[in-house]
Amino acid sequence: MKNSIGAKTIIYPTPVLIVGTYDKDEKPNVMAAAWGGISCSNPPCVSISLREATYSHGNIKLNKAFTLNIPSKDQVTEADYFGIVSGRDEDKFASTGLTPVASELVDAPYIDEFPLILELKLVNTLELGLHTQFTGEIMDIKVDTEFTDARGNPDIKKIKPILYDPSGMAYYGIGEFMGRAFSIGKKFKD
Amino acid sequence: MKNSIGAKTIIYPTPVLIVGTYDKDEKPNVMAAAWGGISCSNPPCVSISLREATYSHGNIKLNKAFTLNIPSKDQVTEADYFGIVSGRDEDKFASTGLTPVASELVDAPYIDEFPLILELKLVNTLELGLHTQFTGEIMDIKVDTEFTDARGNPDIKKIKPILYDPSGMAYYGIGEFMGRAFSIGKKFKD
């Protein structure tokens, strides 16, 4: 039996996307965003939603660029910290000892120690209410060579990313392999 | 050392969102979408991106509504099937034996057997290129009572959802608990 629980923001899973930006003084900042996802294949785009009150919101408006940094499970504590404090008040790179690297493609920094990086150019801004949705075109992806498969693509089993549970407000790792996409479902085909 | 792998659509994780719609003859259809995520807290919204070529794309344009159905791991084969064939060619409810239920809130069907359901009213359409991004306002969430925690909220450990790996084109389950959000990161605070 299904119960109605009202209009809450719950889907499973949501990502843990660490958004990298520069402020007006070119100081690098990072924040955590779980509201977002891939939004187009061609051009390749990701959309993320930030509250106007965040420091990163103004930085994206200013520079029209951001990075997305995907943490490994060993970086879950740093990722959570990035969502607790504001870059207005603390230097989050200094606090965590992580290293900002200037993207050569967009006006935003990325985290050297994180395994998977996306560099994005802002292509659309949509006001939805409490959150502003920023859509960025992916200019490049960078991945640490130790975390790739035989073809040089990112390997989820080596990267060991994390996910966010918006109902329980907690992080989880990636679990067991459940099957190949566009394959296991063929058994239902006419 | 980081390698550039070009502008691909890879983040970890992406969700497996089963989109429920009616066609022009009120026939229920479902398709799988991994391009999407929560996009606003107030009003509560989710954005999903579909190619114009899909049957569901036209259905959403027509009815200005859709549901999102979150599968449990035992439903991964059905979820994959929903992304392989078009509702133009096959009746996906008949093929899988799943049961469509008419939402009382929006003009769209949901899957009775899936544990977590969102009912959405279309509030924005954004053309991004190959994909159209549909943003829906969440009117209600329904969850099977056996899958809730002590407070009646969805329990990720009982629902056992799946995630999609766009690099390896495969499904994975949810792994181990990694910590409480807005909590474990406090150790880095000044």
Side-chain angles (χ1 to χ4, degrees):
Chain A
M1 199 197 77
K2 284 186 169 57
N3 264 359
S4 288
I5 61 166
K8 300 183 177 189
T9 44
I10 299 171
I11 65 168
Y12 295 125
T14 69
V16 180
L17 303 170
I18 306 303
V19 182
T21 56
Y22 286 118
D23 75 1
K24 62 186 189 315
D25 301 317
E26 296 287 315
K27 191 185 84 171
N29 187 40
V30 275
M31 76 167 283
W35 287 184
I38 295 170
S39 51
C40 190
S41 293
N42 187 16
C45 292
V46 176
S47 298
I48 58 166
S49 292
L50 306 183
R51 286 177 298 112
E52 188 173 3
T54 62
Y55 201 44
S56 300
H57 186 287
N59 294 350
I60 293 176
K61 286 258 187 181
L62 182 70
N63 298 310
K64 307 200 181 325
F66 57 99
T67 65
L68 293 173
N69 304 261
I70 309 285
S72 182
K73 60 186 252 187
D74 294 337
Q75 293 152 339
V76 64
T77 313
E78 286 84 348
D80 188 52
Y81 166 71
F82 296 154
I84 292 176
V85 301
S86 170
R88 279 189 199 92
D89 307 319
E90 296 189 21
D91 181 332
K92 302 188 209 180
F93 281 98
S95 305
T96 54
L98 293 171
T99 313
V101 177
S103 165
E104 294 180 356
L105 298 173
V106 302
D107 192 11
Y110 63 84
I111 304 173
D112 196 31
E113 290 83 357
F114 276 30
L116 184 68
I117 309 296
L118 285 74
E119 295 158 282
L120 302 106
K121 183 180 69 177
L122 183 68
V123 294
N124 197 75
T125 301
L126 177 62
E127 301 296 342
L128 285 169
L130 182 62
H131 285 77
T132 304
Q133 183 193 57
F134 295 111
T135 296
E137 180 181 343
I138 303 168
M139 308 310 292
D140 192 25
I141 289 188
K142 291 181 168 58
V143 58
D144 272 292
T145 50
E146 67 200 283
F147 297 128
T148 53
D149 62 21
R151 292 180 298 183
N153 289 322
D155 186 331
I156 195 171
K157 293 182 295 302
K158 294 177 182 169
I159 291 178
K160 297 184 173 62
I162 54 176
L163 60 92
Y164 176 61
D165 162 17
S167 181
M169 294 174 68
Y171 303 104
Y172 290 84
I174 304 301
E176 60 183 323
F177 175 81
M178 304 290 300
R180 304 219 65 78
F182 310 106
S183 174
I184 55 174
K186 286 182 185 168
K187 74 172 216 183
F188 289 110
K189 276 192 78 171
D190 285 349
Chain B
M1 198 196 77
K2 284 187 168 58
N3 263 0
S4 289
I5 61 166
K8 302 183 177 189
T9 44
I10 299 171
I11 66 168
Y12 295 126
T14 69
V16 180
L17 303 170
I18 306 303
V19 183
T21 57
Y22 285 118
D23 75 2
K24 61 186 189 318
D25 302 317
E26 295 287 314
K27 191 185 85 172
N29 186 41
V30 275
M31 75 167 284
W35 287 184
I38 295 169
S39 52
C40 190
S41 293
N42 187 16
C45 293
V46 176
S47 298
I48 57 165
S49 291
L50 306 184
R51 287 176 298 111
E52 190 174 1
T54 63
Y55 200 45
S56 301
H57 186 288
N59 293 350
I60 294 176
K61 286 257 187 183
L62 181 69
N63 298 312
K64 306 200 180 328
F66 56 99
T67 64
L68 293 174
N69 304 263
I70 309 286
S72 181
K73 59 187 256 187
D74 295 337
Q75 294 152 338
V76 64
T77 312
E78 286 85 347
D80 188 51
Y81 166 72
F82 295 154
I84 292 177
V85 301
S86 171
R88 279 190 200 92
D89 307 319
E90 297 189 20
D91 181 332
K92 302 189 208 180
F93 280 99
S95 306
T96 54
L98 294 171
T99 313
V101 177
S103 165
E104 295 181 358
L105 299 172
V106 302
D107 191 10
Y110 64 83
I111 304 173
D112 196 31
E113 291 83 357
F114 275 30
L116 185 67
I117 309 296
L118 285 73
E119 296 159 280
L120 301 106
K121 184 180 68 177
L122 184 66
V123 294
N124 196 75
T125 302
L126 177 63
E127 301 295 343
L128 286 170
L130 181 61
H131 284 77
T132 304
Q133 184 193 58
F134 294 111
T135 296
E137 180 180 341
I138 303 167
M139 307 310 292
D140 191 24
I141 289 189
K142 291 179 168 58
V143 59
D144 273 293
T145 49
E146 67 200 285
F147 297 128
T148 53
D149 62 20
R151 289 180 299 182
N153 289 321
D155 187 329
I156 194 171
K157 294 181 295 300
K158 294 177 181 168
I159 291 178
K160 297 184 173 62
I162 54 177
L163 60 93
Y164 177 61
D165 162 16
S167 181
M169 295 173 67
Y171 303 104
Y172 290 84
I174 304 301
E176 61 182 324
F177 176 81
M178 304 290 299
R180 302 218 68 78
F182 310 105
S183 174
I184 55 174
K186 286 181 184 168
K187 72 173 217 181
F188 289 111
K189 277 192 76 172
D190 284 351

